[in-house]
Structure formats: C-alpha cells, structure tokens
Amino acid sequence: MIAEAAMRDWLDDAWCRTEVVQIVTGGEAGEPLDGREVLAELRSVESIAAVRALTTTGRFTGDICRCHGGQTVVLLDSCGRVTTSASIHGFGSVSWDRPRFRNDLNVLDPAGLHIFLARQGVPRQLALFLAPLTDLLDLHEGRPQFRPAGKRGQRYLAERAVPDVLHPLLLKFTGQEVGAFSAAQVEDVRRTLTAAVGSPEERAAILLSWLGRLPVPAEALWGEGVLIRQLLAGLSGTDLVTAVTTTSSAHVVMGVINATMHSDEDMHLSEALSRPLRRLLPPK
C-alpha cells in the first residue's frame, strides 16, 4: 500500500491541475467515466475549493469498502482530461483511485459533504443520513418489530408523541396493520387530525416528529411510517420547510430524512436541513 504522505502529495498535485469537477453516476463498477451522466459540474474557484476540502480532509482507513460505491467525483484539467477520480461509498467515505491506492478516506465532515452535494443537485444525498441519525437517536428496532394493538400499544403511541385524538383509531390495529390501511382509513385519520390541528405547519411538525421517532427499519419503513408518509403527502413543501425551520427537534429532522427516501428530494428542504444536520452531526 502506498504511504499516506505519498497519497497526500499525489492528491495535492491532482487538485492543483484541476479546472473542473464533475459528479457523475456510478461507482467502481460503472461504465467509463466519459460515458456517464453528469449530475453536477463545478467550475467556480469557491465550489472547487469546497469540494476539495470536503473530499480530502479526514482519516485514511488502510482498507476499502466492499461495495462498488454510488456516485463518482471526477477531476478534469484545463484540457478536459481526467486527472483522477474518487468513488463515494455510503455516508462520508470516499475512495481515491481505488485500484491504485486501495485506501478509503473517512472524511472529517460527512454531513457537510452530503449537504454540499445535495445543494449541487446530486440526488439521494439526504437518504444517506438515515443510518447515522438512527445511531444518534438510538432508533434501532427491538422486539416487537411493530407496535402491538390495544392497551399494550398505548405506551408506544405516547413515546412517539402521537396526538391523543388519534389513539382510538390506531389502537385497534398493530403498527404493521396500520401500514396497510386502505385509502378510506387513511382519509379518516387525516380528517381526525385536521379537525384537531388546524394549522398545516403544526400538522407537518407533528407528523414529522412521529415519523422521526419510529424504530428502524420495520416500523419506520413498512409500519406506521407508511401511514405517516401518506398523511404528509397532503401537505405542501412549504409546510414541511416551516416545520423544520421552526423547531430544533432532531426527530423532525429524522422524519424529513425518512420522508425523502420515498420521494424526490426537494432543494428547499435540503437547504432547511443543512443547519440542523450540521448541528446534529458535526465534523468528527
């Protein structure tokens, strides 16, 4: 394996010759770099300096991730030739010229990296926050996987800050059954919540907080989470942004991350999440 100092010198030289940075689809098993879809292209001095710092500052692991990676960062010189590239592996891990170095880098500021990429229009960046926020908020599921029905389920609804007005509707069913509600049942829940909480911004905050408290993965992705995402679908993007910007709740932030995993990411939501995500997941 090439010494870290030599890698650092090599990276410095590659970046000094870089005039354009592209973020393209595919990782290590993708087609040739020049044939891939370009997701973002950075040309300004400021943006190139930012992505350089975010992808080269951190700790080399001495090993490689076994997956092929997601997107790839491509450095181009003044003639448009590829200087080098780095594949992105999950949350905050990049692999520079993997076939040559075989030494992944855990970046210093993973939240900053993925927020930056989201702001450039690179898709599916917010979804990468699910795992670190699950760890931070201790949302790993135990037993039972899904909330039980009846009296045994009461404490689960209380812990998830579900409005009392919804308890009679929900306690007739397990969390798994709630995730399979018919359109008519979903609408019944929506009407009941709307009658109790008139403000759409307040409903958004309640629903996001509830969604962000669900254990991962079963309840959050397939149980009550399905119902909540259907209820959120009736609210506007502005309502969700307002909910994020008017609360400092980590659970609201987690709720947004969960919701965006099942829909197109919204640039306004990405902007609204940038500050709380940086606060919750500061540089290592």
Side-chain angles (χ1 to χ4, degrees):
M1 182 183 296
I2 296 176
E4 181 176 330
M7 285 189 66
R8 297 284 185 188
D9 290 342
W10 172 84
L11 272 173
D12 285 344
D13 177 68
W15 278 101
C16 286
R17 292 184 286 118
T18 296
E19 297 288 333
V20 177
V21 177
Q22 292 180 338
I23 314 299
V24 303
T25 56
E28 299 295 338
E31 61 184 315
L33 293 175
D34 59 3
R36 302 190 196 181
E37 178 187 358
V38 177
L39 302 171
E41 186 168 275
L42 311 177
R43 290 183 174 272
S44 72
V45 173
E46 294 78 13
S47 62
I48 291 175
V51 74
R52 174 179 180 175
L54 289 167
T55 59
T56 61
T57 307
R59 179 181 60 83
F60 284 103
T61 66
D63 199 359
I64 57 171
C65 169
R66 296 305 185 254
C67 77
H68 293 305
Q71 295 94 6
T72 296
V73 181
V74 182
L75 310 189
L76 304 173
D77 64 17
S78 59
C79 297
R81 295 183 296 246
V82 174
T83 303
T84 190
S85 64
S87 49
I88 301 173
H89 296 259
F91 186 72
S93 178
V94 298
S95 192
W96 287 100
D97 201 346
R98 169 176 282 201
R100 178 182 181 186
F101 292 119
R102 300 184 64 79
N103 196 352
D104 292 353
L105 177 75
N106 288 336
V107 304
L108 175 68
D109 186 7
L113 170 62
H114 296 293
I115 290 167
F116 176 85
L117 294 176
R119 284 173 163 171
Q120 309 309 310
V122 179
R124 314 313 299 164
Q125 296 303 299
L126 295 182
L128 295 173
F129 285 88
L130 182 72
L133 287 178
T134 297
D135 291 339
L136 180 69
L137 299 176
D138 192 21
L139 293 175
H140 297 283
E141 69 179 27
R143 290 289 183 268
Q145 279 189 308
F146 296 97
R147 173 185 57 76
K151 290 183 179 179
R152 290 195 306 127
Q154 185 73 51
R155 73 174 181 87
Y156 294 88
L157 296 184
E159 291 169 356
R160 296 168 188 180
V162 180
D164 292 346
V165 69
L166 297 182
H167 291 197
L169 290 172
L170 299 176
L171 287 175
K172 299 174 185 177
F173 308 92
T174 67
Q176 187 172 19
E177 291 169 334
V178 164
F181 267 6
S182 67
Q185 288 173 303
V186 172
E187 188 57 34
D188 194 18
V189 176
R190 190 193 313 279
R191 281 195 303 265
T192 302
L193 180 60
T194 301
V197 183
S199 165
E201 295 90 349
E202 290 181 27
R203 291 200 304 277
I206 288 168
L207 291 169
L208 289 171
S209 177
W210 177 9
L211 184 58
R213 294 172 187 271
L214 297 179
V216 178
E219 194 77 85
L221 301 183
W222 301 293
E224 286 181 6
V226 177
L227 169 65
I228 301 169
R229 289 189 293 272
Q230 289 175 302
L231 297 172
L232 284 168
L235 299 169
S236 71
T238 301
D239 295 332
L240 303 187
V241 169
T242 300
V244 172
T245 55
T246 57
T247 177
S248 59
S249 168
H251 292 104
V252 167
V253 173
M254 179 59 155
V256 176
I257 299 302
N258 184 317
T260 59
M261 292 178 62
H262 303 268
S263 63
D264 293 333
E265 293 182 357
D266 183 288
M267 291 296 290
H268 298 294
L269 267 177
S270 296
E271 288 291 338
L273 284 173
S274 61
R275 182 173 295 180
L277 282 173
R278 296 298 294 275
R279 172 177 55 80
L280 291 168
L281 298 167
K284 300 174 182 178

